[in-house]
Amino acid sequence: MLVHGNPTWSFLYRDFIPRLTAAGHRAIALDHLGFGRSDKPDRSELYTIEHHSRRADALLE
């Protein structure tokens, strides 16, 4: 799982993913809510580390 920081977004991994998959690995590039081309809700509480963490956990489940 490839996770970006602030202020980047998952586009950062565009060159990593083909190399990982060519080596036989699976790759998931999570784009946090509000970063890059993801949705940008206007509720600031959705942008906390806690909420980003919960969404990442849900994705992995």
Side-chain angles (χ1 to χ4, degrees):
M1 181 168 176
L2 305 167
V3 181
H4 65 84
N6 186 12
T8 62
W9 52 305
S10 61
F11 185 71
L12 170 73
Y13 299 113
R14 68 193 176 280
D15 295 326
F16 289 76
I17 294 171
R19 293 177 188 167
L20 290 170
T21 57
H25 302 283
R26 295 190 309 167
I28 298 172
L30 171 69
D31 195 18
H32 287 297
L33 183 70
F35 290 77
R37 301 180 103 185
S38 72
D39 291 342
K40 295 172 179 44
D42 57 3
R43 293 179 33 217
S44 62
E45 69 272 10
L46 295 176
Y47 296 99
T48 64
I49 292 172
E50 181 181 350
H51 277 85
H52 289 317
S53 169
R54 283 185 197 165
R55 284 187 292 274
D57 284 344
L59 175 66
L60 291 174
E61 284 297 318

